[in-house]
Amino acid sequence: MLYGSLIDILNRSAEITIIAMGMTLVIALGGTDLSVGALVAVSGAIALKLMRWNPTDPAYSTPGNYTVYPFLLVLLVPLVVCLLMGLMNGFMIAKIGMQPIIATLVLMVCGRGVAQIITNGKQFTTLYEPFRFIGQGSFLFLPMPVIISIVVVAAVALFTRKTAFGTFVESVGINRSASRLSGINAKRVILIVFALTGFLSAISGLIYSSRIMSNDSNNAGLNYEMDAILAVVIGGTNMSGGKFSLAGTVIGSIIIRTIVTFVYYFGIVSEATMAFKALIIAVVIVLQSEPVREYFAKRTKTRNAAKAMAKGGAQNV
């Protein structure tokens, strides 16, 4: 497997990159999803519970290279459960009419409690090698999390850019009422986007729990929602909704991990990373604000007019 600072940055940014793909579509709708970090914890808790939980057989009471339930179920059940929880977010927003930040805040608050209930408050560990391969293995000389993130980015890009769905998302984000009048089922678009975000959060949760070979309901996915939002904003997607850039989101995710890496490299305390991220968010949001955009647009217009006048004067001479 290749190694080095660049590979490490790509590897460690995989979870945020995957979640940020869904967050990009959510923000393009003009909303936000605060529950993705909690869904990461839920995904890991379900996977470890299925690999370890068998109360009738004491042979499974200690961690080992085994899984109680078939490994396919270990992977599929967390994906399906988190997809349904994301669908619940979409239902509360599209059908009930709740604000996205409120609807997802509910799951953000209770999600880690759900993860604790799933594991009965225990922290299971495992030594199952196929599960370890997800977060610690390699393929084509690259870490598996990097391979998984590439596949996810490519799949989301194909889904949004090679079909009409991406246009539907942008249309609903710009003006939901106008998109509905033009024949777009805005509610269905919202449901699909939030379900997809829950599904991608589950993938990130499997990678996270595979890295540590354990479920950590208290810390799994902690602050991932903020990092995902930051990656999307850095990538150029406007918080007010509309057009989005998946490529920009990937770059934003890598930038976030690069900042964290440099903070550790220079010996700055890890808590300071939040200050750096907050500063970046403030700068990007200010640059995206309407007065700033109008100012730069006015300057560009004035500069173009001056160039046109200078060009006209030169031709007259």
Side-chain angles (χ1 to χ4, degrees), residues 143-190:
M144 272 307 296
V146 177
I147 298 296
I148 295 172
S149 63
I150 291 173
V151 172
V152 168
V153 170
V156 175
L158 288 173
F159 180 53
T160 56
R161 295 309 186 189
K162 296 301 181 180
T163 70
F165 187 75
T167 304
F168 293 165
V169 171
E170 292 176 346
S171 177
V172 174
I174 293 171
N175 192 318
R176 186 182 301 185
S177 299
S179 64
R180 185 174 62 252
L181 293 174
S182 64
I184 298 174
N185 191 329
K187 293 182 179 180
R188 183 179 299 170
V189 171
I190 294 172

Side-chain angles (χ1 to χ4, degrees), residues 15 49 54 59 129 193 209 221:
E15 290 102 307
K49 182 71 173 282
N54 189 339
E129 286 301 326
V193 167
S209 55

Side-chain angles (χ1 to χ4, degrees), residues 10 19 23 31 38-39 45 55 68 144 166 169 182 207 220 242 244-245 286 291:
L10 293 175
I19 292 176
M23 189 68 76
L39 292 182
V68 175
M144 272 307 296
V169 171
S182 64
I207 295 174
F244 61 89
S245 172
V286 168

